[in-house]
Amino acid sequence: MKTIAAISSPIGAGGIGIVRVSGDGALGIADTVFHFGHKNGAANNWQPLKMNYGTFVAEDFKDNGYAVFFPAEKAYTGEDTVEFYLHGGVRIMQGALGALLGAGASLAEHGEFTKRAFLAGRLTLADAEGVINMINADSAAGLRAAYRLMTGSLSKAVNKISDALEDLIAGLEATLDYPEETEDEVLPSLSGGMQSCLDEIEKLLSSAAAGRIAKHGLNVVLAGDVNAGKSSLMNAMLGDERAIVADIAGTTRDTVEGSFEHNGVRINLVDTAGLRESDDCIEAQGVERAKKAIANADIVLHVIDKSSRARAEFDFGDKLVFTVFNKCDIGGFAVPRMAYTFAVSAKTGEGVEALVEAIAAMYKDNGLTGGEVLTEERHISALYEAKRAVKSAVGGADNPVDCILIDLRAAYDALGTITGKTATENIVDSIFSKFCVGK
């Protein structure tokens, strides 16, 4: 393949910038643009994995910095790679990349370095998705989930199921070719083997909810009567004046969103319009949007004005509801001692920290330390496809072997799209198109 180059550090001024070149011609190109500072006219002596000080020579400037040669067997891409560490100015990075392209390299495409690592067998397709998730993660929980994905944890679990399916398929194919010799050995254990695969697939799928929260955060909706202090509470939780606050009932007419991280968990707050019947068409639309937000919530904070005797009843369906009595700094009715019931003052901040702690505690990251967590819709979809196929095979265990084989092969192919074994070129290209240039 062609030798590629790209800037691998973020665009903008910084202390250090990184430019990377990878491919069979990487060392030759590096020799053209980089001269060791201690060579005294001698040729560069590239020793693997050693940082070398020298001068990078671009078309219209020079810069002192460092270069490291990664031989193919030690390189991220699986091919000879040289990385240059220069001063992190925008003009320096652009000029250094221009020098590499002028010396014979081609500009890398989005995610091409990682794509080459995948093609070289350095990582699976799922591992590669973990790389982009690491880059894009915005919470500690998201980073932990991405790290497990990047380091092959999910791929190992999927490959274990795939290997078991492959053994079942091979055994069934043998019964077609040599029925008298193999049927008594293969068929008695068939149902148990298929059920075991189905159990493992369902175990993985059961982690999808935790994976979504790890990657995207907990969706927490503030709902309830008008003028209960929902917007004030949201601002108190965010530590910022995100929502407009006024004494006028019905001030919030649309959903207002804000996010923050607590104890490694991202919490996405949605402030909503007060739930009431209204002749005001704009406020009525806000109420409808509030209901939609509640439908997508992980937790509903039912905010109640503690100082008011008028308390409407709301049906939040099967949602997890935290009853939050606001304005506890004002005298009035006692707050009932019940599970998921909190007394707060958005004005003084009293009780707000305890509420936030309770919200974050609802996300348990046991899945991130003791098992796999699904964070990608693509993986979830593939596992559901595999589940349907294996379930069909289990339900039709008395069917002809040919029919069972069709289902088991379909399950194997579905799982292979996760790791890349059976992924089409379109799937591979789609995944790497989400990467930045230089990774």
Side-chain angles (χ1 to χ4, degrees):
M1 294 188 288
K2 62 186 179 183
T3 300
I4 55 174
I7 300 169
S8 291
S9 50
I11 300 299
I16 297 175
I18 302 172
V19 185
R20 173 188 288 170
V21 58
S22 179
D24 290 341
L27 265 184
I29 291 172
D31 267 330
T32 303
V33 300
F34 192 80
H35 307 295
F36 287 11
H38 50 73
K39 68 176 186 176
N40 298 321
N44 290 340
N45 179 24
W46 294 97
Q47 297 182 35
L49 310 180
K50 180 179 179 180
M51 183 166 279
N52 301 282
Y53 176 76
T55 302
F56 191 102
V57 181
E59 181 179 359
D60 52 1
F61 71 87
K62 296 179 180 180
D63 186 26
N64 291 337
Y66 295 87
V68 178
F69 165 52
F70 300 88
E73 64 274 11
K74 298 288 186 180
Y76 176 69
T77 59
E79 56 192 15
D80 286 354
T81 301
V82 180
E83 291 184 353
F84 303 93
Y85 308 91
L86 308 173
H87 291 102
V90 174
R91 183 63 180 83
I92 294 173
M93 290 292 98
Q94 292 174 341
L97 176 60
L100 294 173
L101 299 180
S106 299
L107 182 63
E109 299 177 357
H110 287 270
E112 190 169 359
F113 291 100
T114 304
K115 185 176 182 179
R116 292 190 177 199
F118 163 67
L119 295 175
R122 283 280 194 271
L123 39 73
T124 71
L125 204 53
D127 301 347
E129 287 169 291
V131 173
I132 193 63
N133 285 356
M134 284 289 292
I135 294 171
N136 293 332
D138 54 12
S139 71
L143 281 170
R144 290 194 294 269
Y147 181 78
R148 288 186 66 84
L149 183 60
M150 180 183 71
T151 52
S153 188
L154 177 62
S155 294
K156 290 175 185 175
V158 171
N159 281 333
K160 181 180 177 181
I161 302 171
S162 295
D163 290 345
L165 287 172
E166 195 169 25
D167 289 342
L168 292 173
I169 291 169
L172 288 175
E173 288 176 340
T175 65
L176 293 177
D177 294 331
Y178 311 101
E180 294 181 359
E181 294 87 344
T182 58
E183 279 186 349
D184 292 341
E185 179 182 346
V186 173
L187 297 183
S189 61
L190 177 61
S191 294
M194 293 191 298
Q195 186 61 50
S196 177
C197 290
L198 183 59
D199 291 344
E200 290 298 317
I201 291 171
E202 290 179 335
K203 181 180 176 182
L204 285 175
L205 283 170
S206 68
S207 73
R212 178 188 61 77
I213 294 171
K215 184 175 181 180
H216 301 291
L218 274 165
N219 295 324
V220 180
V221 174
L222 294 88
D225 269 329
V226 295
N227 217 29
K230 299 184 294 298
S231 299
S232 297
L233 179 57
M234 177 179 181
N235 290 340
M237 294 172 73
L238 290 172
D240 185 31
E241 298 298 316
R242 179 69 182 85
I244 298 173
V245 176
D247 292 332
I248 303 171
T251 299
T252 302
R253 298 192 171 202
D254 199 355
T255 55
V256 180
E257 301 177 3
S259 298
F260 65 102
E261 182 178 345
H262 187 81
N263 288 347
V265 181
R266 187 169 185 79
I267 299 174
N268 306 313
L269 297 178
V270 183
D271 182 24
T272 63
L275 298 174
R276 67 175 179 177
E277 297 295 329
S278 176
D279 295 330
D280 185 321
C281 64
I282 296 178
E283 185 178 0
Q285 288 184 42
V287 172
E288 287 303 311
R289 293 189 180 188
K291 292 178 180 178
K292 290 181 180 178
I294 290 169
N296 293 320
D298 296 306
I299 300 173
V300 175
L301 302 186
H302 180 196
V303 184
I304 298 172
D305 183 349
K306 177 178 172 291
S307 65
S308 173
R309 289 180 177 273
R311 298 174 184 174
E313 295 294 328
F314 301 104
D315 181 9
F316 297 112
D318 60 354
K319 296 296 178 181
L320 174 61
V321 178
F322 283 12
T323 303
V324 182
F325 287 88
N326 190 22
K327 306 181 184 180
C328 69
D329 54 306
I330 302 174
F333 304 103
V335 175
R337 295 181 178 274
M338 299 172 59
Y340 304 133
T341 300
F342 302 85
V344 305
S345 170
K347 182 178 180 179
T348 67
E350 183 181 350
V352 173
E353 181 69 16
L355 174 61
V356 172
E357 287 280 350
I359 292 170
M362 296 311 298
Y363 172 67
K364 305 296 184 183
D365 65 349
N366 292 336
L368 299 181
T369 56
E372 310 317 317
V373 174
L374 297 178
T375 58
E376 298 299 305
E377 288 296 331
R378 189 181 76 83
H379 303 163
I380 296 170
S381 177
L383 281 162
Y384 270 116
E385 186 177 344
K387 176 183 174 179
R388 285 191 293 270
V390 177
K391 200 169 184 179
S392 175
V394 171
D398 294 331
N399 289 339
V401 170
D402 304 69
C403 297
I404 299 173
L405 276 171
I406 290 173
D407 286 329
L408 295 184
R409 286 168 180 155
Y412 180 86
D413 288 343
L415 294 177
T417 63
I418 296 175
T419 59
K421 288 181 180 179
T422 61
T424 65
E425 186 175 347
N426 287 339
I427 291 176
V428 173
D429 290 342
S430 174
I431 289 170
F432 288 107
S433 68
K434 300 174 185 177
F435 280 60
C436 57
V437 174
K439 185 54 183 175

